[in-house]
Amino acid sequence: MAAFARRKAQRLARPDPSRKRALDARAAELARLLNAHERFCTTSSCDGRVLLADTDGGGIQKKNCTWLLVTHDPCAKGDVMTALEKSTGDVVFKFEPFVLHVLCRELQDAQLLHSVAVDSGFRNSGITVGRGGKITMAVRSTHCLEVPLSHKGRLMVSDEYIEFLVHVANQKMEENIRRIERFHKGLELALEAAVPTDTLAPKGPEKSRSVYVHRRKRRTIREQANPSGELEPQDDTESSLDLFAEIMI
C-alpha cells in the first residue's frame, strides 16, 4: 500500500509530457475523480480527437509528422480544407477515440473500472499486470477512423469525399462524448457504491479477502442520479458491481 502511494505521488508530480502540456477537459474531470481515491492513479489520457497529420511518408509517428489540425470537438469541412493548404507531404485524416490509463493498487480495483468502462461502451478496454505487479487498466474503444487524403502535397480525393469524412468523424466524436459521459456517471455510482474493506473494522477473527463491500444505499444513489429510471443498456452498472461487492469470508 505504501509503495503504491509513493508511486502515485511521484507520477502525479511529473510535468505533463503531451504537446498540450495539460489534460483535456473531459479527461481532467475523470482524472480528478479517480485521483481523489487512494487506490487509483491516472497516467495518460485523451478526450478523443479529429486529427489531420502531415507525414513524410514513413507513417504517422509523433517524431516525423506535423499536426495541421487537431480538435477534441466536432469539426467543419472548411477547417479541414484550410489545413490541407499547408500540406507538403502525405496527409492522413484521423479520428481517435477517448483513451484513459489508470494505475490500480489491486486487481479488484482494476476489475471494477473495467466493468464500468465496458458497460459504458468502451469494449476494447483491458487490464495488464506488468513486472513487479504493476496493474494498469486501459479504457479504450474501437470506433477509429484513418484515411489518407494527399500524397506528396497533392490532394487525392474530392471535396465531396472530404465532406463525407468530416460527417462520419463528427458522428464518431458525438458517440465518443456520449460514452465518456456514461463512463463518468457510471464511475461515480460505482465508487459511491463500493467501500474499501480496509476502512472498516473486521466483524470476526477472519479478515475479508474482498476489496469492496456493497452498500445498501446503492439503489437510492442510482435513483437520485437518474430520477426518470430510463437508462440505456450500457448505462446500467448495477449488474456489473455485484461481482465485486460481495464479502468473501
Side-chain angles (χ1 to χ4, degrees):
M1 294 183 182
F4 183 84
R6 287 194 299 270
R7 182 184 299 167
K8 178 176 180 176
Q10 293 171 355
R11 169 69 67 169
L12 296 181
R14 296 178 186 176
D16 193 312
S18 66
R19 295 191 184 194
K20 188 178 178 180
R21 301 299 180 189
L23 293 176
D24 299 333
R26 299 181 185 92
E29 294 180 6
L30 286 165
R32 283 191 291 269
L33 175 62
L34 287 165
N35 290 328
H37 292 260
E38 62 182 8
R39 294 176 174 274
F40 305 109
C41 175
T42 58
T43 60
S44 63
S45 62
C46 178
D47 273 1
R49 61 193 178 192
V50 175
L51 176 68
L52 205 62
D54 194 3
T55 76
D56 60 5
I60 300 178
Q61 298 178 3
K62 291 183 178 180
K63 293 182 179 180
N64 68 344
C65 76
T66 301
W67 290 2
L68 303 178
L69 171 70
V70 59
T71 177
H72 301 284
D73 297 293
C75 67
K77 175 191 172 184
D79 297 331
V80 175
M81 299 304 295
T82 299
L84 281 171
E85 294 175 359
K86 298 177 286 186
S87 169
T88 58
D90 296 357
V91 174
V92 177
F93 180 90
K94 297 187 68 178
F95 167 76
E96 298 175 335
F98 173 78
V99 63
L100 174 68
H101 294 92
V102 186
L103 288 178
C104 303
R105 196 167 76 180
E106 297 186 29
L107 182 59
Q108 292 93 331
D109 305 323
Q111 289 173 325
L112 182 69
L113 296 189
H114 181 266
S115 180
V116 176
V118 171
D119 285 348
S120 301
F122 296 105
R123 304 190 186 281
N124 197 38
S125 299
I127 300 171
T128 59
V129 180
R131 294 181 179 179
K134 184 172 72 172
I135 302 167
T136 303
M137 211 293 288
V139 182
R140 300 177 301 230
S141 60
T142 58
H143 63 301
C144 305
L145 179 68
E146 182 173 334
V147 182
L149 298 184
S150 70
H151 178 58
K152 295 182 179 179
R154 179 188 174 192
L155 188 62
M156 306 298 291
V157 299
S158 66
D159 288 5
E160 183 181 7
Y161 186 66
I162 292 176
E163 184 174 5
F164 170 71
L165 284 179
V166 169
H167 174 70
V168 172
N170 285 342
Q171 286 184 320
K172 289 179 177 290
M173 178 63 78
E174 290 165 0
E175 172 59 24
N176 181 69
I177 293 172
R178 286 192 291 269
R179 292 183 186 186
I180 294 173
E181 291 172 348
R182 287 198 295 263
F183 180 61
H184 194 167
K185 181 179 178 180
L187 190 58
E188 287 179 325
L189 291 170
L191 295 176
E192 181 69 19
V195 181
T197 58
D198 55 14
T199 65
L200 304 177
K203 295 182 179 180
E206 295 185 12
K207 294 183 179 180
S208 168
R209 294 194 299 271
S210 175
V211 174
Y212 290 101
V213 176
H214 181 53
R215 280 188 178 177
R216 293 180 180 178
K217 294 183 179 179
R218 186 177 65 185
R219 177 65 62 182
T220 302
I221 294 169
R222 285 178 55 81
E223 291 174 353
Q224 291 174 347
N226 186 12
S228 67
E230 297 179 358
L231 292 178
E232 297 183 34
Q234 300 96 322
D235 288 333
D236 189 0
T237 56
E238 282 293 299
S239 59
S240 64
L241 293 177
D242 292 339
L243 178 62
F244 312 109
E246 298 178 358
I247 302 177
M248 305 295 293
I249 298 180

